[in-house]
Amino acid sequence: MTITDSPDTLGPMRKNHLSLLLLSTLALAACQAAPVQQPQKAPDDTVMPQNPVPEVSKETLDGERLSMIEARVSRLEGDVARAKPTLQKMDVMQSHFRALSLELDRIEASYNVTADAQQVPKPIAQQPVAPKPVPPMLAPKPVQKPEQQEKAVAVSPKEAAVTSIRIGEQKNDVTRIVLDTTKPAEMKFDLDNGEHILMVELPGNKWVATKSMDLKSSPMVKSFSASSDETGSHLVIQLKMTAKVLTTARLNPSGAYGHRIYLDVVPSK
């Protein structure tokens, strides 16, 4: 055994080796990189916090509430059903007034003639049947009582006025309504078959004829009433049935008759 391997030298050497090993271990542990902590992100101010939305409570419909809803729905359906005929009637009336407006335009254009026009009736609406003069014997007799007859009102020849009204029956169920005027007159009419009313307007003419009368013997005309104001004369004829205006025309003086204007009315089939 050498001097270096003696027991006195082995003990310190082992202690030195253990010390070196311990120091190495500590150094390695110290050299290991400590985990880097990630910086915490600052709260984003642009993001709104998500507030919890409370759930809507779902209440079941009980029998009483369901019955009330069904009753309301039933009433609404009834109101709609009752209003439906009125709405349909309004549509029909709108179509009727549109057609009437066109017819009135044609009537106004046809009556816009000069005073020296030819002695030939000029029909307002083109009809296959030519207008015929009114025979005086076909004029119906008034049915009102003598005490109800109105006295004739004197009118100046220079004043435009309706001096008389005559209603008579023609062939083929034609009822002719004749208005005697002092001057050539323009006429507009409106027929409402829903109310069985024929309205006749004579602008600029004063009414001096009989103002009202009931006609029991006429198959078409039930009664009539007339009035006048600053705009002209207004004649309302109550019909007994659904009808249509077949022909209208204006006649110039001829023989014992002066200026006249008439309408031919027939039953609507």
Side-chain angles (χ1 to χ4, degrees):
M1 181 172 55
T2 63
I3 296 175
T4 57
D5 293 334
S6 63
D8 294 333
T9 61
L10 289 174
M13 292 177 63
R14 290 177 178 174
K15 291 180 180 180
N16 291 332
H17 290 166
L18 291 174
S19 298
L20 291 173
L21 183 60
L22 180 61
L23 291 174
S24 299
T25 303
L26 293 174
L28 290 173
C31 290
Q32 290 180 356
V36 179
Q37 295 181 356
Q38 297 293 335
Q40 296 181 354
K41 294 183 178 180
D44 190 357
D45 295 338
T46 61
V47 179
M48 297 297 293
Q50 297 182 355
N51 296 326
V53 180
E55 295 184 356
V56 180
S57 60
K58 298 180 180 179
E59 298 179 1
T60 58
L61 295 175
D62 53 9
E64 183 177 357
R65 294 182 60 189
L66 185 59
S67 299
M68 292 175 60
I69 293 175
E70 291 177 349
R72 292 179 181 177
V73 172
S74 179
R75 286 196 296 270
L76 288 175
E77 291 177 349
D79 294 340
V80 172
R82 287 190 295 270
K84 187 175 181 181
T86 303
L87 296 175
Q88 293 176 347
K89 185 176 180 180
M90 291 178 64
D91 292 339
V92 174
M93 291 178 63
Q94 184 177 5
S95 301
H96 172 71
F97 286 134
R98 188 180 298 110
L100 178 62
S101 177
L102 296 175
E103 182 66 19
L104 291 178
D105 292 340
R106 289 194 294 269
I107 293 173
E108 186 175 0
S110 299
Y111 279 128
N112 191 16
V113 296
T114 58
D116 56 348
Q118 297 179 357
Q119 304 292 331
V120 178
K122 296 184 178 180
I124 298 173
Q126 296 180 358
Q127 298 291 339
V129 180
K132 299 178 181 180
V134 182
M137 69 286 297
L138 295 179
K141 297 180 180 180
V143 297
Q144 59 191 54
K145 297 180 180 179
E147 57 269 16
Q148 293 178 329
Q149 295 284 354
E150 299 179 4
K151 295 182 179 180
V153 179
V155 59
S156 172
K158 297 181 180 180
E159 184 178 11
V162 180
T163 57
S164 67
I165 177 173
R166 294 175 284 130
I167 301 175
E169 305 306 319
Q170 302 288 319
K171 296 180 180 180
N172 300 323
D173 298 329
V174 175
T175 298
R176 177 164 293 182
I177 303 170
V178 183
L179 301 175
D180 293 304
T181 60
T182 57
K183 293 184 177 182
E186 295 182 2
M187 179 185 65
K188 299 179 180 180
F189 69 89
D190 182 14
L191 178 60
D192 184 359
N193 275 320
E195 300 294 335
H196 291 169
I197 292 177
L198 174 61
M199 298 185 64
V200 181
E201 305 283 339
L202 285 84
N205 280 263
K206 181 180 179 181
W207 188 275
V208 296
T210 302
K211 293 185 177 181
S212 62
M213 184 181 295
D214 296 330
L215 290 87
K216 297 180 180 179
S217 59
S218 175
M220 176 62 69
V221 179
K222 181 178 180 181
S223 62
F224 71 84
S225 60
S227 62
S228 61
D229 52 24
E230 62 275 5
T231 63
S233 296
H234 314 282
L235 175 63
V236 180
I237 302 173
Q238 183 69 53
L239 303 177
K240 295 180 180 179
M241 64 184 71
T242 303
K244 65 178 180 180
V245 177
L246 182 64
T247 307
T248 62
R250 183 176 62 189
L251 302 175
N252 289 322
S254 176
Y257 296 98
H259 295 283
R260 289 152 292 162
I261 193 168
Y262 73 84
L263 304 91
D264 283 346
V265 184
V266 295
S268 178
K269 299 179 181 180

